Amino acid sequence: MTLARAVVGFLAVSVALVLQVSLFPHVAWQGVVPNLVLLVVVAAALTRGAQFALVLGFVAGVLLDLAPPADHLAGRWALALVVVAYLAARVRQDVRPSTAAVLATVAASSFVGTSLFALSGLVLRDPVISVGELLEVVAVAVLWDLLLTPFVLPPTMRLFERLGRAGAPV
């Protein structure tokens, strides 16, 4: 991983995190905000592959775990985003994935990431919620992420693709 790629990945995650914790709580639906950080990790996985996406997913997860107003045990988002990065990187092909493949990957990634975060909370008794509430949160999170996919993934994927064409090794 080159320094330029690492810096751009960190900046993309940072911008997504700032928007996610400052702007999007004002448009939360049933208390759930879009997970822009997850979308950046999925874009990295689809364009740069597993190695870059796993590192970015871990760093993004730790930042998300520590960013205010975090009220959960640290490490839960880090675990969820590493798993998301791995799963989304499995979809990566040598050619740009189709729109249907990107949407399916985002839906699956959002479902898996949010479910893993929520289930780890149940196991750790972080905030105790019912399974019905958990399923409702997961469904709303998937819907939010799918709604924002056309606005977040194309420019982010182009950004990560441009890094690869600039002579940086894959």
Side-chain angles (χ1 to χ4, degrees), residues 30 83 92 119 121 128 159:
Q30 297 180 359
V83 171
R92 182 177 182 246
L119 289 173
V128 179
L159 175 69

Side-chain angles (χ1 to χ4, degrees), residues 78-133:
L79 172 65
L81 291 181
V82 166
V83 171
V84 163
Y86 175 75
L87 293 175
R90 301 289 294 170
V91 175
R92 182 177 182 246
Q93 305 163 352
D94 290 333
V95 295
R96 187 177 190 128
S98 68
T99 302
V102 169
L103 288 173
T105 302
V106 167
S109 296
S110 181
F111 177 80
V112 168
T114 307
S115 297
L116 189 54
F117 176 79
L119 289 173
S120 67
L122 283 177
V123 169
L124 297 171
R125 297 183 192 271
D126 203 1
V128 179
I129 62 171
S130 71
V131 174
E133 292 171 326

